[in-house]
Each structure stands twice: as C-alpha cells, then as structure tokens.
Amino acid sequence: MAATKRKRRGSSAVPAKKPKKAGKDAGPPTKRRSTTEEVEEDERDRIPGPVSKGKWKNKERILIFSSRGINFRTRHLMQDLRTLMPHSKADTKMDRKDKLFVINEVCEMKNCNKCIYFEAKKKQDLYMWLSNSPHGPSAKFLVQNVHTLAELKMTGNCLKGSRPLLSFDPAFDEFPHYVLLKELLIQIFSTPRYHPKSQPFVDHVFTFSILDNRIWFRNFQIIEEDAALVEIGPRFVLNLIKIFQGSFGGATLYENPHYQSPNMHRRIVRSITAAKYREKQQVKDVQRLRKKEPKAVLPHDPTADVFATPAEEKPVDIQWVKPEPKVDLNARKKRIYKRHRKMQQKMNKRNAK
C-alpha cells in the first residue's frame, strides 16, 4: 500500500500509484471514506488565514505633536491620542520661536493632511490647534480639565487600533460654525476603513457634547453583554477661540464671544481677592475711628427713675476696738513641729551618753 502525500492548509491530495485490486478482500469504498474523514479533520484543525481587508481608499493621516514647554499631563494626553488613533504620526517638539505656518511644511514632509498641535504658554495654559493642511480651515481651542488614561484608572478597555464610533450632540447641526467643526472632527478622529494598522472591530465610542459653550470629549467602551457604555478615557474640554480660513492662519471665520483668556480670568480672580482685602481693611479703619471718638452723653431721662425706690438708711457703725489678729494655723503647726523635733534630738543625745 502506497501512502498518499497531502499539502498543508487542506490542499488536494496527490495520490501515488494506484494499487492493484487483489480480489474480493480489497475494500476501496472504506479507503475513500477514511481519506475524506482525514481531510475533514485537517480542515477542522487548520488555522484560518487573515480576512481580506479590502482596499485602503481613505488616505487620512494625522500629525500629532506639540511645542516645547508642555507638562507631563499634556504629554500623556498626546500619547493617549496617538494610541487611540492608529492613522496618526508623531514628530519632534517644535521650538516656540518658530512661526505656526512652518507646521504645514512639517505635515508635507510627514505626508500628513491633518494636524493636531498642542501649544503650551506660560507653563500652565494649553492650546490645541485642529488644522486641515495645507489649505485649511483650522480651529484654535483652549484645553481645560484634562484627565489622561493613567490618571482616570477606569475599568473599561478596548482593542488597540479598533475603529471608533463618533457620537455628536444635536447642537452641532444648529449653528454653522459647529457644522464646520463637526466635519473637521469627523475627518480627524475617524479611523479610515481598511487602514493597515487598524483592526476590523468597533468597540468604543468618541462622544462630542456641547455644554456651556464648550466641547466635551469622552471615550466609552461598548460592552458586548448588554450594549452598555463604560468610560475609558481620556477626557478633556475644548473651549473654542477662533476658526481661521487657512491652515494656522488666514481670515477669521468665527470668533467666540463667550471666550475669556486665562490671563483675564486670573486677573479678575486677583482683583476680587484684592477687593475683599481692601474691604476688610476699611472695616478695621472705621472701627478704630469709632473707638477714638468721644462718647456722646445723652440727656437725663426723668422717666427712667419712676420705679426706682430708695433703700432704707442703715446707721453707720464705727469700730473703736482693734480687731483681734487672725491665727495662722499653718505657722502654728510649723512651730509645734520644730519644738517637738528639738526635744526629740535632746532625748536621743541623753540616751547615747
């Protein structure tokens, strides 16, 4: 009996020379059944190959980097965004002395058509630029209430490189500047389909909500059991400043009238505290002046003595005899104790003789 050779991954078997039929004892039907069963077992144990991902058409690439002088929280937030967006690229920090339009050249060298740029000022204020390079538009935001993945310690988790769902507040469709921002956010935060670094799963949601004239960003995981949402992080708030026609400059399309710069906010806080201090000092000065002023003497009220009844006059007793001195009991006890001790000493001397 010659053995048959089989290729891996369930390929068709290459039979050797056909055996001669030796009579009634030979059973070709049983042999065919055994070969088919072995092929089925091989198909069962075989690991399936990768699913065809199709053609990658949407060539969106995002450049995420920052200026020099950022703190640790901004650096962790930037790293979290790079982790959540597989179509992003990184670059070295840009010098603060360089002009912002240089970023367009950096995007061109990195083959990126979108950019997220974090700009730090005074080591405490963080600004975020969202730009469509090189033709625009671009938007500048003040980033507030930043919480990173390591800082939140949420229970949720999602697959790295998976494609997110984008959920927008209905208010994004009411005003034209929010419609423009919605389109810009969709193009930046949505992972392109069939991207080489992405995974063919949808297991988390990016939510953009509008509250108090600010955009609130949250990241939630979709739980398979009951389709509930569990927050993963990071989270931050974007306060819109301006929308420009070009990339990192150009004509101003929209300016937020409700925006208040951090410098002005700190100035108002300092002025409020200074006003409170001045008010306390003024109250203290008024109290000192009142203490120094002479007290006003009110005229006598005749009705105040209506119910006053004079007391009985008692005779004045004049003491002609000197009172006896008070006995100091403690001094008397001390004298008795000294006398008793001297007598005891004399008795001891006599007994010794």
Side-chain angles (χ1 to χ4, degrees):
M1 296 293 291
T4 58
K5 297 181 181 179
R6 296 185 183 87
K7 291 185 179 180
R8 296 184 67 182
R9 300 189 178 275
S11 60
S12 59
V14 179
K17 294 181 181 180
K18 294 183 178 180
K20 295 180 181 180
K21 296 182 180 179
K24 297 180 180 179
D25 297 334
T30 57
K31 291 178 183 177
R32 287 176 187 172
R33 287 176 190 170
S34 63
T35 54
T36 53
E37 288 176 359
E38 289 177 1
V39 171
E40 288 178 359
E41 288 179 0
D42 292 342
E43 288 289 338
R44 254 182 242 156
D45 299 336
R46 188 184 66 169
I47 300 173
V51 182
S52 176
K53 291 189 176 182
K55 191 174 180 181
W56 177 30
K57 296 180 181 179
N58 185 10
K59 301 287 185 177
E60 296 284 350
R61 297 181 182 88
I62 315 299
L63 179 65
I64 302 176
F65 72 118
S66 67
S67 65
R68 296 193 180 277
I70 61 173
N71 54 9
F72 71 96
R73 184 174 283 116
T74 306
R75 186 172 65 253
H76 291 177
L77 174 64
M78 188 169 56
Q79 189 63 35
D80 293 343
L81 291 179
R82 288 174 184 169
T83 305
L84 293 172
M85 301 164 67
H87 60 296
S88 64
K89 289 187 177 182
D91 194 22
T92 57
K93 295 180 182 179
M94 195 178 76
D95 196 356
R96 287 180 291 183
K97 296 180 181 178
D98 295 338
K99 301 296 181 181
L100 290 177
F101 60 82
V102 180
I103 301 176
N104 296 324
E105 299 178 3
V106 178
C107 292
E108 186 177 357
M109 288 188 293
K110 288 285 184 178
N111 196 18
C112 295
N113 52 4
K114 298 289 187 299
C115 180
I116 299 178
Y117 176 65
F118 292 94
E119 185 180 8
K121 290 185 178 180
K122 294 187 176 181
K123 297 183 179 180
Q124 54 183 343
D125 301 330
L126 178 63
Y127 297 91
M128 177 192 286
W129 285 84
L130 301 180
S131 175
N132 182 17
S133 179
H135 304 294
S138 59
K140 185 179 181 181
F141 301 90
L142 174 68
V143 186
Q144 299 173 329
N145 300 334
V146 177
H147 298 280
T148 59
L149 279 170
E151 188 179 353
L152 287 174
K153 296 181 181 178
M154 295 292 183
T155 56
N157 192 9
C158 66
L159 183 66
K160 183 178 180 181
S162 60
R163 300 177 65 228
L165 294 175
L166 300 184
S167 174
F168 288 91
D169 195 280
F172 274 96
D173 299 327
E174 296 179 0
F175 302 99
H177 61 280
Y178 282 139
V179 174
L180 178 61
L181 289 177
K182 179 180 178 181
E183 184 63 29
L184 188 62
L185 292 171
I186 288 174
Q187 294 181 13
I188 290 177
F189 285 93
S190 61
T191 303
R193 194 179 182 189
Y194 302 129
H195 191 276
K197 293 184 180 179
S198 66
Q199 299 291 337
F201 302 101
V202 178
D203 58 354
H204 63 287
V205 184
F206 289 162
T207 62
F208 298 91
S209 306
I210 296 176
L211 181 65
D212 195 18
N213 298 315
R214 291 170 174 82
I215 299 175
W216 300 67
F217 175 84
R218 295 288 185 274
N219 182 20
F220 296 94
Q221 180 198 0
I222 302 173
I223 301 177
E224 296 180 359
E225 287 79 6
D226 53 354
L229 297 178
V230 178
E231 187 173 358
I232 306 172
R235 60 164 71 163
F236 53 88
V237 180
L238 300 177
N239 190 0
L240 178 63
I241 302 174
K242 284 183 181 181
I243 301 176
F244 299 96
Q245 185 176 0
S247 178
F248 296 98
T252 303
L253 299 179
Y254 176 78
E255 185 174 0
N256 188 6
H258 306 285
Y259 171 72
Q260 187 181 56
S261 65
N263 293 331
M264 183 60 68
H265 178 71
R266 286 190 288 267
R267 182 180 176 184
I268 291 172
V269 171
R270 286 196 301 268
S271 63
I272 290 173
T273 54
K276 289 182 179 179
Y277 179 74
R278 283 197 298 269
E279 186 177 356
K280 288 181 180 179
Q281 292 296 325
Q282 289 175 0
V283 171
K284 289 181 180 179
D285 294 339
V286 170
Q287 290 177 354
R288 288 171 190 163
L289 292 175
R290 285 180 179 175
K291 289 180 180 179
K292 292 180 180 179
E293 289 179 358
K295 295 181 181 179
V297 180
L298 297 175
H300 179 68
D301 189 6
T303 60
D305 301 333
V306 171
F307 299 99
T309 54
E312 296 181 359
E313 295 183 1
K314 294 182 179 180
V316 180
D317 294 336
I318 299 173
Q319 190 174 1
W320 300 99
V321 182
K322 184 180 179 181
E324 296 181 358
K326 294 181 179 179
V327 179
D328 192 359
L329 297 177
N330 292 329
R332 188 175 179 182
K333 286 180 181 179
K334 287 180 181 180
R335 286 196 299 270
I336 295 171
Y337 175 72
K338 285 181 181 180
R339 193 182 304 156
H340 179 70
R341 190 174 59 184
K342 287 180 180 180
M343 291 175 65
Q344 197 73 20
Q345 289 175 358
K346 288 179 180 179
M347 293 292 293
N348 292 336
K349 286 180 181 180
R350 287 177 185 175
N351 294 331
K353 290 179 180 179

